[in-house]
Amino acid sequence: MTRKPRVLITGASGLIGRLVVRDLSDRYAFSGLSRRPVEGIPHTIADITDLNAVRQASAGMDMVLHLAAETEDYDDWDKVRRVTMGGTLNMYRAAQEAGVKRVVFASAGSTMIGYEWYEGSPYGRLAAGTLDRLPEGERMLLHTDPPRPDTFYSVGKLFGEHTGRLFSDRYGMSVLVIRVGAVLPDDKPSLVRELPGYLSHRDLVSMIDKCLSAPPDLKFDIFHAISENARRWRDTDHAKRVLGWTPVDSSDVFDAATLA
């Protein structure tokens, strides 16, 4: 019988962690690290800023799915520096020391949201609901386009992307970055501005599964993760081509007229 890959989930008690444990435990042997307990898997109650605790939790793991971040105060530099940046560095250090082969890093679509801000931006008009798709002649943004973060939180996520690149180049670790779209508690938008970047629960879990199971020789890459929304403006073809990811949901099924 083939052994399931051992995967540590940091921030396992959050929405994404709970979805992954629920839907992928038949494929992976999950353990968790978070400030709140998670039932059903081996779990360490600790803060991601505690390097020794992260080291202990990482021992014996094949992969890490890194979800932990400061999500309550997006524009509090001190919290972003301590948790999102410092905690992510702890994770990479502990993973490298433990011989972890792959880190799947949950970055954020908000690393690109600054593109909505310039005057006349078609991406901003999509977010405002004055357009329902990109105008002819405008293009979707690629993972290779320069990031344009919208919060200190997003800058912290970019720190994690760049640190992952360094650890991949220096230590040969596989680091796959997912720029996660709008994953919502009820799995449906409540605001018009969530329609372009909406990412359904099952499309999210599918993307994480594709990254965890990707070939070992895929050493570093960045993927935009967004469902098949007509209003989307970040390109997902790269993820479909490299990973074989097939999103099946769309925000088009929601009536924009009923949203705030």
Side-chain angles (χ1 to χ4, degrees), residues 98-127:
V100 168
K101 301 301 183 184
R102 167 166 292 159
V103 169
V104 177
F105 173 61
S107 185
S110 61
T111 57
M112 305 293 285
I113 291 295
Y115 280 98
E116 293 179 356
W117 290 359
Y118 66 84
E119 186 175 356
S121 167
Y123 316 116
R125 293 170 66 195
L126 286 166

Side-chain angles (χ1 to χ4, degrees), residues 89-102:
L89 180 57
N90 284 347
M91 178 278 300
Y92 280 124
R93 290 179 62 188
Q96 185 269 322
E97 292 167 5
V100 168
K101 301 301 183 184
R102 167 166 292 159

Side-chain angles (χ1 to χ4, degrees), residues 206-251:
S206 173
M207 169 64 84
I208 290 172
D209 184 26
K210 288 293 187 181
C211 286
L212 290 172
S213 62
D217 60 357
L218 185 58
K219 289 299 184 182
F220 184 87
D221 216 331
I222 298 173
F223 304 107
H224 287 157
I226 303 167
S227 291
E228 290 289 278
N229 315 322
R231 291 174 168 83
R232 75 184 185 277
W233 51 267
R234 298 190 294 282
D235 183 86
T236 57
D237 285 350
H238 179 66
K240 295 170 186 174
R241 182 173 62 254
V242 173
L243 297 173
W245 181 55
T246 308
V248 295
D249 292 314
S250 170
S251 65

Side-chain angles (χ1 to χ4, degrees), residues 72-194:
E72 294 180 359
D73 294 306
Y74 279 16
D75 277 323
D76 186 317
W77 259 129
D78 292 330
K79 291 182 178 179
V80 168
R81 177 179 54 80
R82 186 176 68 86
V83 179
T84 305
M85 299 171 75
T88 296
L89 180 57
N90 284 347
M91 178 278 300
Y92 280 124
R93 290 179 62 188
Q96 185 269 322
E97 292 167 5
V100 168
K101 301 301 183 184
R102 167 166 292 159
V103 169
V104 177
F105 173 61
S107 185
S110 61
T111 57
M112 305 293 285
I113 291 295
Y115 280 98
E116 293 179 356
W117 290 359
Y118 66 84
E119 186 175 356
S121 167
Y123 316 116
R125 293 170 66 195
L126 286 166
T130 59
L131 291 176
D132 59 10
R133 64 187 61 248
L134 274 177
E136 186 175 350
E138 299 287 352
R139 67 175 181 87
M140 292 192 187
L141 296 181
L142 306 175
H143 67 289
T144 51
D145 284 308
R148 199 161 175 171
D150 69 337
T151 55
F152 299 161
Y153 165 84
S154 306
V155 173
K157 287 296 188 179
L158 289 170
F159 171 86
E161 293 187 14
H162 295 311
T163 304
R165 167 66 87 175
L166 174 63
F167 270 73
S168 180
D169 288 345
R170 178 169 288 187
Y171 301 113
M173 179 189 298
S174 172
V175 177
L176 303 183
V177 173
I178 305 174
R179 289 183 176 163
V180 177
V183 178
L184 306 167
D186 294 331
D187 205 16
K188 59 183 180 181
S190 59
L191 302 172
V192 169
R193 69 159 294 100
E194 293 169 341

